[in-house]
Amino acid sequence: MAYLFDEPSRTFSEYLLVPGYSSADCIPKNVSLTTPLVKYKKGEKSAISLQIPMCSAIMQSVSGEEMAKALAREGGISFIFGSQSIESQSAMIARVKSFKAGFVPSDSNLSATHTLQDLIDLRQGKGHSTIAITDDGTNTGTLLGVVTSRDWRPSRTSLDTPLSEIMTPFNQLVYAKEGITLSEANDIIWEHKLNSLPIVDDKNRLKYFVFRKDYASHKDNPNELLDAKKRYLVGAGINTRDYKERVPALVENGADVLCIDSSEGFSEWQKITLSWIREQYGDSVKVGAGNVVDADGFNFLADSGADFVKVGIGGGSICITRETKGIGRGQATALIEVAKARDEYFKKHGVYVPICSDGGIVFDYHMTLALAMGADFLMLGRYFARFDESPTQKVNVKGSFMKEYWGEGSARARNWQRYDLGGEGKLSFVEGVDSYVPYAGPLKDNVQLSLSKIKSTMCNCGALSLPELQEKAKITVVSSTSIVEGGAHDVILKDSNDTQSK
């Protein structure tokens, strides 16, 4: 007969953290959530670390370029979804990498013969208020001038006015030559009270802009996840079918880390993919793998060369893999076993392979439980799908604002590569649903609230770092009765409208 596990398969809601001793120093502002993203050897540091233990799921309805920018700004990372063309995914990566470079290639350019109407149309499409005017209308042409919102008014300027009559000409611009440092450029911006500083080469051809808002953004977001060139870090999902074409394109366009996106990762297909990447790039390309739910799966992917391993099958809010195929494992049980396997692997081989808990998060306290159970970071889908920055539409459903949210295995996404078992190259049956989630507003506000809960709970456990949390945390299984006891009970709750009116 089949192997039968002794213990039941448990979820996060079946556990609680038991408080430990908290010293006077154990306050939220002293808590560090820094965590490794990719593997490292004993005595070394991870090549990439996150400032917060959060990444967004490899999903069409979650991880687009706006999500990548917003999450990197908070210290996490997004994995741009791979269920699109190689060209489209690579372009998304390139736009994220160019967005926060300090030195930003100009994305809005016109020639001097274009009109005010052309400028207005470009602003509406791009959303930028600073437009470079070059001799050929490209972002590498000779800079003739710049138009900002201060240079024109639609009520006083004819729409057919050429930009040569509106722009601030080059000889009146404050600019800098290529080779200037970012610090020096920012000094010029502040000295001359500028919003932007064009950077040109020795022939006055436009190279970059440096923006005041980027400096302010960094000061307002000290946890920004940046590379050595001050660009946002961004990840990308890949599959085990077209990786030979997709991986080079993603790497060329600046992807910092890749992840094999699969519903079940304990397979030869993932080993083949990892082996090819190592043969082509060595350890210079970082790539995670998964998903697995036990020690055997973790050890297989770690031995195959994965830089991190994702844990979880069937626990996502839009995933019906367990329902349709009968495979998976309660997320808490899976995570606890894989965390033990990771620690044993580290002791045996001297290589620490981080694990990512993917799925099963319903409440914010589940995040802290997952981290205490051994997760190095969390991959979240539904959580991020609710925010302004997710790529889906905000819609009104029966009087309430919602965001669309669908699974990669749904009929809408039809991401057959994620569920590929070497078959016919199609989605034979769905393993995900198409749904709505309540709209929750901007990412920053929500993430900061969730992180404040995590930090506060860590202090209750006497921990100021994630390794310390995993060392000190005490976890207890709860009964169904105590779950009821943990919420509001034996009271009549006030109507929310009444509460707000008071």
Side-chain angles (χ1 to χ4, degrees):
M1 64 172 286
Y3 177 82
L4 183 64
F5 287 90
D6 294 330
E7 294 295 320
S9 182
R10 297 187 183 277
T11 67
F12 293 129
S13 289
E14 296 179 72
Y15 293 92
L16 285 175
L17 287 157
V18 176
Y21 171 73
S22 300
S23 69
D25 292 329
C26 211
I27 55 177
K29 74 173 185 178
N30 292 337
V31 172
S32 168
L33 295 177
T34 301
T35 190
L37 177 66
V38 297
K39 68 182 179 184
Y40 58 92
K41 294 180 180 178
K42 186 175 183 179
E44 299 180 355
K45 292 184 177 180
S46 177
I48 305 176
S49 291
L50 303 177
Q51 296 297 323
I52 62 173
M54 290 181 169
C55 66
S56 63
I58 311 170
M59 301 175 68
Q60 295 174 7
S61 56
V62 178
S63 293
E65 56 194 271
E66 293 306 315
M67 179 62 67
K69 297 171 188 175
L71 187 51
R73 194 174 295 126
E74 299 306 312
I77 195 167
S78 290
F79 287 86
I80 301 292
F81 66 94
S83 52
Q84 59 179 317
S85 70
I86 295 173
E87 294 74 19
S88 177
Q89 187 186 23
S90 298
M92 283 189 177
I93 293 293
R95 287 194 292 270
V96 174
K97 295 303 291 185
S98 66
F99 179 77
K100 184 66 172 69
F103 295 96
V104 183
S106 179
D107 191 36
S108 296
N109 313 277
L110 292 170
S111 70
T113 57
H114 280 99
T115 66
L116 177 59
Q117 182 63 64
D118 296 322
L119 183 142
I120 292 172
D121 293 341
L122 182 63
R123 279 170 55 96
Q124 290 176 342
K126 295 285 190 177
H128 298 153
S129 60
T130 300
I131 311 297
I133 309 303
T134 61
D135 62 339
D136 59 3
T138 71
N139 68 347
T140 57
T142 300
L143 184 63
L144 302 180
V146 171
V147 179
T148 70
S149 57
R150 294 176 297 181
D151 295 318
W152 58 278
R153 290 185 182 180
S155 60
R156 297 186 179 183
T157 310
S158 174
L159 295 178
D160 61 0
T161 303
L163 297 181
S164 59
E165 298 181 14
I166 300 173
M167 69 184 187
T168 301
F170 182 77
N171 60 7
Q172 295 180 23
L173 291 175
V174 177
Y175 63 91
K177 291 290 186 177
E178 188 177 19
I180 190 173
T181 67
L182 184 59
S183 177
E184 291 170 337
N186 281 319
D187 287 343
I188 293 174
I189 286 175
W190 286 98
E191 179 183 350
H192 293 273
K193 300 180 180 179
L194 305 174
N195 288 324
S196 63
L197 178 71
I199 310 296
V200 298
D201 66 11
D202 56 359
K203 295 183 178 180
N204 293 339
R205 290 178 298 218
L206 180 61
K207 302 300 292 184
Y208 311 102
F209 274 98
V210 177
F211 293 98
R212 174 191 288 262
K213 64 180 178 63
D214 286 346
Y215 177 86
S217 173
H218 179 64
K219 293 300 180 183
D220 291 339
N221 300 282
N223 286 330
E224 280 184 317
L225 200 63
L226 305 175
D227 64 15
K229 297 181 179 179
K230 306 297 183 183
R231 302 175 300 180
Y232 285 142
L233 264 64
V234 61
I238 62 174
N239 61 67
T240 59
R241 282 286 186 130
D242 65 7
Y243 58 90
K244 292 182 180 179
E245 296 76 37
R246 190 174 293 270
V247 170
L250 294 173
V251 171
E252 182 179 349
N253 281 278
D256 297 284
V257 59
L258 309 175
C259 184
I260 302 174
D261 184 26
S262 174
S263 65
E264 203 280 295
F266 194 179
S267 76
E268 187 176 4
W269 301 110
Q270 295 221 359
K271 182 177 182 179
I272 292 171
T273 303
L274 290 167
S275 296
W276 183 86
I277 292 174
R278 293 295 171 239
E279 290 169 2
Q280 298 297 316
Y281 298 97
D283 291 328
S284 64
V285 170
K286 307 302 181 184
V287 54
N291 287 19
V292 299
V293 292
D294 64 4
D296 291 339
F298 170 84
N299 288 322
F300 172 79
L301 291 177
D303 288 340
S304 297
D307 282 294
F308 65 85
V309 174
K310 283 207 293 147
V311 181
I313 295 177
S317 59
I318 42 68
C319 184
I320 55 172
T321 294
R322 297 180 194 175
E323 183 179 327
T324 57
K325 297 170 69 173
I327 66 166
R329 201 174 192 187
Q331 187 66 11
T333 300
L335 185 57
I336 290 169
E337 180 175 325
V338 173
K340 290 180 180 178
R342 175 206 56 202
D343 294 344
E344 292 171 0
Y345 193 91
F346 182 51
K347 292 178 181 178
K348 181 178 180 181
H349 300 283
V351 177
Y352 188 91
V353 182
I355 58 175
C356 168
S357 180
D358 179 16
I361 301 293
V362 180
F363 305 107
D364 283 355
Y365 83 89
H366 288 172
M367 298 183 192
T368 317
L369 273 170
L371 296 168
M373 289 174 178
D376 294 283
F377 58 100
L378 316 171
M379 180 168 280
L380 304 163
R382 179 197 60 83
Y383 178 84
F384 286 117
R386 304 171 300 144
F387 303 151
D388 288 323
E389 294 82 0
S390 73
T392 65
Q393 296 293 319
K394 182 173 72 172
V395 296
N396 190 310
V397 180
K398 297 181 180 180
S400 298
F401 283 113
M402 301 282 180
K403 293 276 280 185
E404 296 179 298
Y405 181 45
W406 60 89
E408 288 297 292
S410 67
R412 183 171 184 173
R414 303 202 70 80
N415 181 7
W416 64 268
Q417 294 95 333
R418 189 177 197 276
Y419 303 87
D420 183 33
L421 295 174
E424 299 178 2
K426 65 177 184 178
L427 191 67
S428 300
F429 53 89
V430 298
E431 294 188 43
V433 299
D434 197 343
S435 64
Y436 297 109
V437 289
Y439 168 66
L443 177 145
K444 184 179 183 65
D445 294 344
N446 287 276
V447 165
Q448 289 301 318
L449 177 60
S450 297
L451 294 179
S452 69
K453 294 177 183 178
I454 292 173
K455 290 180 178 180
S456 180
T457 307
M458 288 174 63
C459 288
N460 292 141
C461 297
L464 292 175
S465 68
L466 295 181
E468 194 174 10
L469 174 66
Q470 292 163 5
E471 177 186 348
K472 293 184 174 181
K474 297 180 288 184
I475 300 173
T476 181
V477 175
V478 296
S479 68
S480 57
T481 305
S482 65
I483 292 175
V484 174
E485 181 186 59
H489 62 92
D490 299 322
V491 295
I492 300 174
L493 295 178
K494 293 181 179 180
D495 181 80
S496 58
N497 292 327
D498 292 340
T499 302
Q500 292 173 359
S501 67
K502 296 177 182 178

